[in-house]
Amino acid sequence: MKKHMSLFVWAITLFGLSPVWAATNSGTRAASSADLTGQPAVRERTQVNYQKYETRTSTKTYDEKDAKNIYYTQPANRSQLYKQYASGNNSGTTVRTTRSETYTSELKRKYFLAHPFFQPLKGKFGSVTDLSYAMSSYDIKLTPLETGAISDPNGKWDMTQFSIKEDFSYGITDRIAVLAMLQYDMSDYKFDWSTAPDDSMDDSGLNMFGLGAQWRFVDNEDWIATVSGYYQHQNDISNNFLLDLKGGYKVSSSTIYGVVRGWYVALDGNSYGNGIEGTTAEGMKSTLFLAYNTDVDNLFYVEGGVGIFSVLDEDWTLNFEGLIGNYDWHNQASLKAAIGWQPNDWMALNLYAKTAVYDSADGKALSFWGTDAETGNFVRMGTAGIDNYSETSIGLQATFLF
């Protein structure tokens, strides 16, 4: 079993093979031509690509309270409201005229790139670059078979990973976009034994690529909904097919949303789990492997949850999301928080953190496999009880629209 298997399991249990979403991590995102503030309209407006505008002309001061939490008001340039001038004749008579000058306030709704329903509009390109650092670990207590012996039964599995993921999308229409993705990983794996020498290895490479499509089939003043489908290939591990359904309700300056995702995973081999490959001092190939499941060639995962995306002011956003999922051999609940900064219409930065708050893996017993020192065969050596299961990641997403 190849070492990449451990990376795959971690990625799919915590992050679900996430597509475009600042935030992801992130997730799959789509949006209306101008409703990504998640704010309901207060007056009838004209639909245009990228932004919505409303123009109001008046000779009196515009009452901005009508636009509170809906728009950010930017007064248009205007000349002085009045001017006076004098003209005279030989008699010295002075004529004074006061004139009120009409002015215009332009109300602009911003297209937020960190919105969980983001996707590029017709003819636009979107780019999401995700830099993340992740940690995964659990304690191990080995119980050998009656015919075997293990020098040190207590240890800890530990994995750290730095990854760079790029999602590049294009809007075919305002409602449909296509997507391509790549991910490069640099990972370190370790069996940290209490008394015996540690077993460790590192790995790096371009380990994932994929294609997908996004369809925003509902978007009005109150509701927004998308459905997305993806194909992803994990190098030396599996081919994955993902379906994502997301719907949100717009209230004030926020969008409250729910999400359901499902994966079909076609494995290259017939088992998966955490493992390390290496060589002994005699040059013999050696493998240690904790199997999550064996004698299986396909898997199905499903997760669902709720979230809220809020506009704090013109440039700052906040996103919270909670998920509960079933991932074949265990269940997990996780929380994610992200804060976004968007100084203009074409660039946004999103800082996020995600962690597992509950996992049913604690207390489970996995099968423990290894290379027989005499024959070199890969054999079952016993069971491994696991505890204190932990997964956490932090990351920065840079989103561009052009």
Side-chain angles (χ1 to χ4, degrees), residues 232-284:
Q232 292 177 330
H233 175 75
Q234 293 275 338
N235 190 35
D236 295 328
I237 300 170
S238 65
N239 293 298
N240 316 300
F241 301 88
L242 168 67
L243 182 65
D244 178 288
L245 179 63
K246 189 180 299 181
Y249 177 70
K250 305 169 188 177
V251 53
S252 185
S253 57
S254 299
T255 301
I256 301 171
Y257 63 92
V259 59
V260 177
R261 300 186 186 101
W263 291 263
Y264 175 79
V265 182
L267 297 174
D268 288 352
N270 62 1
S271 62
Y272 73 111
N274 295 134
I276 286 177
E277 291 179 343
T279 55
T280 66
E282 294 76 20
M284 180 183 294

Side-chain angles (χ1 to χ4, degrees), residues 55-96:
T55 301
R56 179 164 180 159
T57 302
S58 176
T59 56
K60 65 179 182 178
T61 302
Y62 178 69
D63 190 354
E64 193 176 342
K65 72 180 189 325
D66 291 337
K68 186 177 181 181
N69 293 326
I70 301 298
Y71 298 100
Y72 298 107
T73 305
Q74 298 177 340
N77 292 329
R78 63 178 189 264
S79 62
Q80 62 191 106
L81 295 181
Y82 69 91
K83 56 185 175 180
Q84 296 176 327
Y85 64 94
S87 64
N89 52 32
N90 291 335
S91 63
T93 302
T94 298
V95 178
R96 297 174 61 85

Side-chain angles (χ1 to χ4, degrees), residues 324-337:
I324 297 177
N326 175 271
Y327 309 101
D328 184 52
W329 70 281
H330 72 138
N331 302 318
Q332 185 184 94
S334 63
L335 294 176
K336 179 181 178 181

Side-chain angles (χ1 to χ4, degrees), residues 6 73-74 84 95 114 116 125 243 295 301-302 320 402:
S6 58
T73 305
Q74 298 177 340
Q84 296 176 327
V95 178
F125 292 93
L243 182 65
D295 195 23
Y301 301 140
V302 62
F320 291 102
F402 53 94

Side-chain angles (χ1 to χ4, degrees), residues 135-142 152-160 188-200 274 276 288 290 368 384-391:
M135 300 152 283
S136 176
S137 66
Y138 51 80
D139 296 334
I140 303 168
K141 183 174 179 58
L142 301 179
D152 186 357
N154 298 308
K156 180 180 181 180
W157 166 260
D158 185 77
M159 189 206 74
T160 58
D188 290 303
Y189 310 95
K190 180 189 293 186
F191 282 117
D192 185 2
W193 304 113
S194 297
T195 58
D198 296 340
D199 294 292
S200 63
N274 295 134
I276 286 177
L288 296 176
L290 297 184
F368 180 55
I386 64 175
D387 199 11
N388 296 323
Y389 193 95
S390 174
E391 291 181 352

